[in-house]
C-alpha cells in the first residue's frame, strides 16, 4: 500500500488513520528553535465529517487512502437520501446528510459534482467552482441607496442565502462562486 511522508502533506491529500479515511484541510510546517520539526495539520474524517487537529513528527509516514473520485450528476432527494448518477455507466449512488453537508446549498438538478468514493460508498461531494441559480426571494432595491458595494440578502432556488448587489431582482439568474458563496454576476436563464 502506498504511503505519504509528512513532507508530502498538502491540502486535499487523503490518507488512512485509525481505520478511517481522512482529508487534510490545512497543513503548517513548524520548525522550532529547539527540538524536532513537525507538521501541524487540520484534518477531516471523511466518514463522520468531524474536524480535528493533529501533529505529526517530521519524517512520519501515513498510509494513503484507497479512495476514488468520479463525476456524477445530481438527480433528486427523497427526504432522507440524495441520489446521484454516474453518466457513463448509469450507476446510481445515494448519499446521506453527513456526506452532502458541505454542498447542500449548491445542489442543482442535472449539475455535475465530483464524488469521493471509499469502498463504493460516497463520502464527500465537490461542487463546480461556479454555479448558476435563480433568485427566489429578495428585497427590492431602494433608490438612492447605492453607496459603494451596497448589497442585500437574497435566497436562491436551493435555499442558500447570499448577498447580491441592489440592482438584482427577484426571479433573476445569478452566477455564484461555490467555494465562498459570493455573487459573481448576472447569468442568462438556464
Amino acid at each position: 500500500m502506498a504511503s505519504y511522508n509528512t513532507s508530502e502533506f498538502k491540502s486535499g491529500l487523503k490518507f488512512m488513520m485509525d481505520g478511517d479515511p481522512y482529508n487534510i484541510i490545512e497543513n503548517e510546517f513548524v520548525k522550532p528553535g529547539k527540538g524536532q520539526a513537525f507538521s501541524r495539520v487540520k484534518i477531516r474524517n471523511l466518514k463522520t465529517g468531524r474536524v480535528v487537529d493533529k501533529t505529526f513528527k517530521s519524517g512520519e509516514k501515513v498510509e494513503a487512502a484507497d479512495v476514488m473520485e468520479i463525476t456524477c450528476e445530481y438527480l433528486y432527494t427523497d427526504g432522507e437520501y440524495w441520489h446521484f448518477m454516474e453518466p457513463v455507466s448509469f450507476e446510481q449512488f445515494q448519499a446521506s446528510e453527513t456526506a452532502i453537508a458541505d454542498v447542500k446549498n449548491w445542489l442543482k438538478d442535472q449539475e455535475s459534482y465530483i464524488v469521493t468514493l471509499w469502498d463504493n460508498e460516497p463520502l464527500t461531494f465537490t461542487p463546480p467552482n461556479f454555479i448558476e441559480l435563480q433568485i427566489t426571494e429578495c428585497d427590492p432595491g431602494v433608490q438612492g441607496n447605492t453607496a459603494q458595494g451596497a448589497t442585500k440578502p437574497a435566497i436562491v432556488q436551493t435555499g442558500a442565502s447570499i448577498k447580491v448587489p441592489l440592482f438584482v431582482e427577484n426571479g433573476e439568474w445569478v452566477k455564484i462562486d461555490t467555494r465562498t458563496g459570493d455573487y459573481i454576476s448576472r447569468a442568462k436563464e438556464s
Side-chain angles (χ1 to χ4, degrees):
M1 182 56 87
S3 63
Y4 297 112
N5 192 319
T6 55
S7 64
E8 298 173 284
F9 281 7
K10 62 182 178 196
S11 292
L13 183 78
K14 294 167 182 66
F15 66 94
M16 297 295 291
M17 188 174 78
D18 303 329
D20 283 346
Y22 280 82
N23 179 27
I24 294 179
I25 299 170
E26 291 176 14
N27 176 41
E28 178 186 4
F29 180 73
V30 180
K31 187 172 181 187
K34 280 185 170 181
Q36 186 178 6
F38 60 92
S39 291
R40 186 180 299 135
V41 294
K42 186 177 279 193
I43 56 177
R44 172 180 284 128
N45 184 320
L46 294 176
K47 284 175 75 176
T48 64
R50 227 174 104 216
V51 176
V52 293
D53 291 322
K54 181 111 172 98
T55 304
F56 293 93
K57 292 178 185 172
S58 184
E60 205 171 329
K61 291 184 182 248
V62 292
E63 180 184 340
D66 187 21
V67 296
M68 192 170 79
E69 290 187 342
I70 60 171
T71 302
C72 288
E73 284 183 7
Y74 173 63
L75 298 176
Y76 65 93
T77 180
D78 60 15
E80 186 177 355
Y81 293 103
W82 286 259
H83 298 268
F84 293 81
M85 179 184 69
E86 201 276 316
V88 176
S89 67
F90 301 110
E91 185 176 359
Q92 292 190 14
F93 301 95
Q94 64 181 21
S96 65
E97 175 89 35
T98 54
I100 61 112
D102 292 343
V103 296
K104 196 174 182 180
N105 287 335
W106 314 123
L107 287 178
K108 179 181 171 188
D109 292 349
Q110 316 291 280
E111 192 69 47
S112 294
Y113 298 84
I114 296 172
V115 182
T116 303
L117 297 173
W118 182 63
D119 287 345
N120 220 26
E121 178 186 331
L123 295 176
T124 62
F125 293 83
T126 307
N129 291 341
F130 301 100
I131 193 166
E132 294 178 1
L133 297 171
Q134 186 175 23
I135 302 279
T136 57
E137 187 181 317
C138 76
D139 298 330
V142 179
Q143 188 71 24
N145 189 8
T146 55
Q148 268 182 300
T151 60
K152 62 183 179 182
I155 308 240
V156 293
Q157 69 193 56
T158 60
S161 180
I162 62 168
K163 297 269 187 201
V164 296
L166 296 175
F167 58 79
V168 175
E169 297 296 328
N170 211 9
E172 283 190 61
W173 287 80
V174 293
K175 186 175 184 179
I176 302 166
D177 185 335
T178 59
R179 297 163 293 189
T180 61
D182 292 340
Y183 165 89
I184 300 298
S185 66
R186 283 178 165 161
K188 291 190 171 149
E189 193 171 318
S190 293

